[in-house]
Amino acid sequence: MQIDSRIVKCLGLTAGIVALVAAGSLAGRAAPTAEPVYTVASDVVTGESALRAAIDPLFDDADMGETRALIVMRDGQVVAERYAPGFGPDTKLLAWSMAKTVTGVLAGLMVADGRLALDAPVPVPAWSQPGDPRGRITLRQLLTMSSGIDHVEDGDPVTAGDTVRMLFQGGAQDMAAYAEAKPLAHAPGESFAYSTGSTMILSDLMTRMLTNSEDPDVRRRAMQMFIDGRLKAPGKLPSLTPEYDAHGTMIGGSILHMTARDYGRFGELLRRRGRTPAGHQILPEKWIDLMTTPSRRNPAYGLHIWLNRASDESALMPGQAPESLFGCVGHNGQYILISPSQRLTVVRIGMSPRKEQRRAVRAGLARLMGLFPG
């Protein structure tokens, strides 16, 4: 399934792009039911009533925006699950930037295979001319958002930013080419700058490690086979559905779908340090260590994942939850929160477009997680 046919051709106007960004979902809603799913385990360690009292405001408080799905897992078991009307366990929900962490895991698999090296310059053909300063950019710098590539993540208005231009406007036919053509704004490794463009460069790089073909169908199949064989099947993530641009590059920075339960299973894979519930090591423990180590230019960011550390650019809740907490964060308030010390994974999918709404959501999630010992 290609994003150009589903989105770009359907949303050719700027108004359509803004509507999509505001909507927060590409997936269709489930058929409405009389009683949306809401279950809490009777033997949960927090007490059932206390857990419900923490969950309900996330759905009922308008100051938090709209919560569409919430999963609470402890020791790998779902202890609470709730959906808004029109959504359910089988609804595929858009990841937005939570997809970046999936891409980071795939990069880790390629490093483990010897296809990529963390501290070697990445072989991007557009940067291969002698003297091109971009030719010094390493895989680690792409993963820690310190590549130095000039990329405006959020424009004002939204259509003025590089992310929207790359995903939905002129760059949509070949998103990686759009990102790779940008000049340096800073020397590689010098500063942190959150960039969906960096993830698209990484997606293209991984695809070229699998095939030399420029045929979009070949590129798409090669990447999909890698995802299916190395993550989707062994990780028990049956709903994992990435999108691809017209050039056959996975849109690894933004456009990926899973059910809430599978987002939880993905979080559990990280909490279990790359192991499945059956004990199969599908991602090296060392890669989890690398992902969750604070980067030099932002202690709240690791390798394509957010860390619960104090920083001028932090997306989690430092001071409100354990420092060991880490997680995936997506546009408008998508969260997979992993707390190893509490043996806990929490997923929140919803629509909270305003900063104050997302701040309230994070505070609510911190209160919920605070009910669990650890």
Side-chain angles (χ1 to χ4, degrees):
M1 192 179 299
Q2 295 184 50
I3 192 170
D4 60 309
S5 61
R6 287 189 59 186
I7 301 172
V8 176
K9 292 178 182 177
C10 297
L11 300 177
L13 300 177
T14 297
I17 296 166
V18 173
L20 172 64
V21 174
S25 178
L26 300 181
R29 297 191 180 202
T33 59
E35 285 294 328
V37 172
Y38 186 7
T39 61
V40 177
S42 59
D43 59 348
V44 67
V45 67
T46 65
E48 181 180 350
S49 61
L51 189 51
R52 287 181 182 271
I55 290 171
D56 290 346
L58 289 161
F59 285 82
D60 302 336
D61 188 343
D63 290 339
M64 297 190 190
E66 176 192 353
T67 295
R68 296 171 174 176
L70 183 80
I71 299 279
V72 182
M73 302 179 74
R74 192 159 194 261
D75 292 325
Q77 301 300 312
V78 175
V79 298
E81 182 174 24
R82 183 175 174 180
Y83 297 90
F87 298 88
D90 297 324
T91 308
K92 288 186 181 182
L93 299 154
L94 180 59
W96 287 116
S97 284
M98 296 194 303
K100 290 179 173 68
T101 305
V102 177
T103 302
V105 164
L106 295 171
L109 291 169
M110 290 202 171
V111 170
D113 291 349
R115 299 175 190 266
L116 293 171
L118 189 56
D119 290 307
V122 290
V124 174
W127 304 342
S128 63
Q129 292 298 315
D132 191 328
R134 299 172 300 177
R136 303 195 308 269
I137 296 172
T138 66
L139 179 64
R140 187 189 297 269
Q141 289 163 350
L142 286 174
L143 286 164
T144 59
M145 300 294 181
S146 61
S147 70
I149 292 290
D150 186 12
H151 178 92
V152 178
E153 183 71 10
D154 298 309
D156 185 15
V158 66
T159 50
D162 284 308
T163 302
V164 166
R165 289 171 176 168
M166 179 179 68
L167 295 178
F168 305 119
Q169 295 182 316
Q173 297 302 303
D174 190 341
M175 298 178 191
Y178 176 94
E180 291 163 0
K182 299 287 284 186
L184 287 181
H186 304 280
E190 183 180 275
S191 62
F192 176 86
Y194 189 79
S195 167
T196 298
S198 289
T199 312
M200 285 310 306
I201 294 167
L202 179 58
S203 293
D204 178 54
L205 175 67
M206 292 193 296
T207 303
R208 285 189 286 104
M209 296 299 104
L210 299 170
T211 176
N212 292 323
S213 176
E214 291 297 317
D215 183 289
D217 289 334
V218 174
R219 287 168 55 84
R220 196 160 39 243
R221 283 197 301 270
M223 193 67 202
Q224 192 64 53
M225 286 179 63
F226 184 79
I227 294 168
D228 291 349
R230 299 297 298 280
L231 181 59
K232 183 174 181 175
K236 308 298 183 186
L237 305 172
S239 68
L240 171 56
T241 307
E243 297 271 2
Y244 296 84
D245 72 6
H247 188 54
T249 305
M250 179 183 72
I251 310 172
S254 297
I255 314 295
L256 175 153
H257 314 270
M258 280 194 262
T259 64
R261 290 177 179 177
D262 278 358
Y263 285 124
R265 292 186 187 102
F266 178 73
E268 278 292 295
L269 177 66
L270 301 179
R271 187 186 70 82
R272 293 176 181 273
R273 297 176 56 76
R275 289 189 184 88
T276 68
H280 301 301
Q281 192 81 45
I282 65 174
L283 181 69
E285 284 192 35
K286 182 179 179 181
W287 189 254
I288 301 296
D289 290 338
L290 289 167
M291 288 184 78
T292 56
T293 297
S295 56
R296 291 178 57 201
R297 298 306 179 188
N298 185 356
Y301 203 76
L303 302 186
H304 262 41
I305 199 164
W306 289 97
L307 311 179
N308 199 37
R309 306 294 182 94
S311 167
D312 291 338
E313 298 183 79
S314 177
L316 297 180
M317 57 274 283
Q320 297 178 284
E323 189 178 77
S324 61
L325 176 78
F326 58 93
C328 319
V329 180
H331 176 68
N332 283 345
Q334 323 310 320
Y335 298 97
I336 304 172
L337 303 175
I338 301 110
S339 180
S341 65
Q342 296 173 289
R343 313 194 313 270
L344 199 64
T345 294
V346 175
V347 175
R348 186 269 185 178
I349 307 295
M351 181 62 187
S352 302
R354 299 197 305 273
K355 287 183 179 180
E356 58 269 26
Q357 290 177 325
R358 295 192 293 277
R359 192 179 302 116
V361 168
R362 290 194 298 273
L365 291 170
R367 286 192 294 271
L368 186 158
M369 298 179 78
L371 296 173
F372 292 84

